[in-house]
Each structure stands twice: as C-alpha cells, then as structure tokens.
C-alpha cells in the first residue's frame, strides 16, 4: 500500500509540473505550414517573448516585480527599417489597447458596471460615448516610460505556391517592451478616476465599485491568475 501511494504521489506531481505554462524560442528551420519562407532574421531562433512576454521573462529570471512586459509584432512591411520603426512607435498604443479592453470587459462583467453603461438608460449615454470613443486615447496619453529592450526582425519571402495571395518579400519586426509596474498602475488608476468623473452623479458609486482594484486585477489577468 505504501508503495502504491508513493507511485500515485509521483504521478500527481508529474502532472502538476507538466501543466505549468512555458514558452520557448522557436527554431526557424522547423517545418511549419506557412505561406512564406524566412530568408533572413536578426537571430537564428524566433524569440519566445513574442508569444508571451510575461511568461518568457519569468523563465529568464528577469525582474517581474518592478516591471511589466509586453510584446508587439508588426504585419509585413516593405523594408526592415519601416517595420521596426513602426513596432517601436506602436508601443504606447498597443499597451493602451490592452488596458482599454480590460477596462471595458471589467465594466461589462460586473452588475455595477452594466448599470453604468446600460443602453436603455439615457443617463448613461455620456459614459457609453466616453468608453467607446475617448477611453483608448485617454489611456494612451497616460502611458509613460515604456521602453523597448529587445527587437527581432524577419525577412519573409511570401509565395503563392505556399498559399500567399501573391509572391512578394515582406519584413516583420517584433519588440519586447518593459514598463515600470508603478507607472502602469498609476495610468490604470487615473483612467479609472476619469471614468468615475464621467459617470452620472447617481451612478458614480456603481462605476467606482466596478473598477475597484482594477490595477491589481489587470496584472493578475496577465499572469492568468483571474
């Protein structure tokens, strides 16, 4: 019986360890069904941080207490310089888009948030308009201190015989972005305050409750904890 229990314990530990999420660099020489061939690249491997920045940096034992990490990759462009300049220029807008989407989902997921953006209530019209048309731009203006710490580019030869619409060469560029945790939380907190201010006086408490701990929830969600 003792031996059986030991075997079961080992098996259960093995399952738990194997279920832990990991990302890895991808060898460009691997055979994957694509509509292009990688003709040149800044590295012989495709970095794992493109797939999941937070998981990759944790594996690399980088500082995940002080900083938050994001990754962004462009669509194919006509040359490498344009692709990489675009990747760097889109840093703030990409982070802002992720935060804005999270805020919108947080509002829609809570009873209080739903009440604040109820389409059947005329008092919520200004709030709905702000969330739909202004929130993303406002969040982007609050993003400061985001820094590009890694860059990776590929020269791709797209071919019709592989499934591409036409034969052409395109360059993609990816960036790994680091932002101080304190700055990120400050931006989210300020965006939340703005939303509360935009809400109808009778609904301010609802909005405030719906957005409680939003900065912490955002960080947890990026780690798959909520």
């Amino acid at each position: 019986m003792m031996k059986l229990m030991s075997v079961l314990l080992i098996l259960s530990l093995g399952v738990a360890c194997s279920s832990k999420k990991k990302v890895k660099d991808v060898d460009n020489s691997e055979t994957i069904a694509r509509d292009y061939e990688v003709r040149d690249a800044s590295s012989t491997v495709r970095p794992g941080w493109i797939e999941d920045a937070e998981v990759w940096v944790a594996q690399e034992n980088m500082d995940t207490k002080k900083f938050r990490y994001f990754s962004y990759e462009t669509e194919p462009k006509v040359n490498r310089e344009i692709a990489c300049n675009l990747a760097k220029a889109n840093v703030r807008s990409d982070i802002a888009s992720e935060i804005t989407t999270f805020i919108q989902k947080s509002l829609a997921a809570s009873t209080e948030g739903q009440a604040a953006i109820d389409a059947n209530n005329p008092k919520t019209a200004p709030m709905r308009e702000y969330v739909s048309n202004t929130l993303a731009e406002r969040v982007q203006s609050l993003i400061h201190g985001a820094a590009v710490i890694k860059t990776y580019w590929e020269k791709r030869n797209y071919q019709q015989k592989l499934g591409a619409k036409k034969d052409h060469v395109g360059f993609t560029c990816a960036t790994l972005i680091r932002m101080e945790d304190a700055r990120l939380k400050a931006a989210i907190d300020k965006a939340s305050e703005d939303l509360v201010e935009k809400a109808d006086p009778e609904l301010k408490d609802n909005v405030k409750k719906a957005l409680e701990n939003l900065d912490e929830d955002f960080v947890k969600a990026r780690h798959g904890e909520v």
Side-chain angles (χ1 to χ4, degrees):
M1 177 64 72
M2 184 63 69
K3 185 176 181 180
L4 176 59
M5 291 179 64
S6 298
V7 172
L8 291 175
L9 177 60
I10 292 172
L11 288 174
S12 64
L13 288 173
V15 171
C17 291
S18 64
S19 63
K20 187 176 181 180
K21 185 178 181 182
K22 293 182 179 180
V23 295
K24 63 178 182 178
D25 297 341
V26 178
D27 190 334
N28 278 326
S29 65
E30 290 183 357
T31 302
I32 302 173
R34 298 181 176 129
D35 59 359
Y36 63 86
E37 293 179 348
V38 177
R39 308 302 297 175
D40 195 8
S42 56
S43 172
T44 56
V45 295
R46 181 176 168 84
W49 50 259
I50 298 176
E51 177 189 345
D52 194 316
E54 292 279 7
V55 173
W56 186 86
V57 298
Q59 290 175 186
E60 296 296 311
N61 296 317
M62 297 172 70
D63 189 348
T64 56
K65 293 183 178 180
K66 183 179 179 181
F67 298 99
R68 293 293 148 225
Y69 299 84
F70 303 80
S71 58
Y72 175 80
E73 184 172 29
T74 66
E75 293 295 319
K77 304 301 175 184
V78 294
N79 65 54
R80 187 177 74 190
E81 184 178 6
I82 289 176
C84 287
N85 285 343
L86 183 62
K88 294 173 183 178
N90 282 353
V91 169
R92 289 198 305 163
S93 62
D94 195 56
I95 297 174
S97 177
E98 188 173 337
I99 294 173
T100 302
T101 299
F102 186 79
I103 292 174
Q104 291 172 327
K105 288 182 177 179
S106 297
L107 285 172
S110 68
T111 303
E112 294 84 2
Q114 289 175 355
I117 55 175
D118 182 6
N120 296 317
N121 185 348
K123 291 184 178 181
T124 67
M127 176 76 164
R128 293 198 309 276
E129 182 178 353
Y130 183 81
V131 170
S132 299
N133 303 325
T134 311
L135 181 59
E137 183 178 342
R138 176 55 177 152
V139 172
Q140 184 172 334
S141 72
L142 297 170
I143 300 297
H144 301 290
V148 175
I149 59 174
K150 286 185 180 294
T151 303
Y152 169 81
W153 58 264
E154 289 181 352
K155 178 182 179 181
R156 299 176 177 179
N157 183 13
Y158 290 85
Q159 301 176 42
Q160 282 185 311
K161 67 180 182 180
L162 297 178
K165 291 184 178 180
K166 62 178 181 179
D167 292 342
H168 70 284
V169 173
F171 291 82
T172 62
C173 191
T175 53
L176 176 63
I177 303 150
R178 183 180 72 186
M179 185 173 178
E180 287 187 15
D181 185 67
R183 287 178 180 269
L184 181 64
K185 288 184 175 181
I188 296 173
D189 286 342
K190 180 57 180 174
S192 299
E193 291 173 6
D194 288 351
L195 281 172
V196 173
E197 289 299 317
K198 294 294 180 181
D200 183 89
E202 295 180 9
L203 299 171
K204 284 186 184 295
D205 288 341
N206 281 351
V207 177
K208 189 173 182 179
K209 188 172 182 179
L211 299 177
E212 281 181 343
N213 303 316
L214 187 67
D215 56 350
E216 295 179 6
D217 290 342
F218 178 76
V219 171
K220 289 179 180 178
R222 299 195 83 244
H223 283 284
E225 296 175 22
V226 294

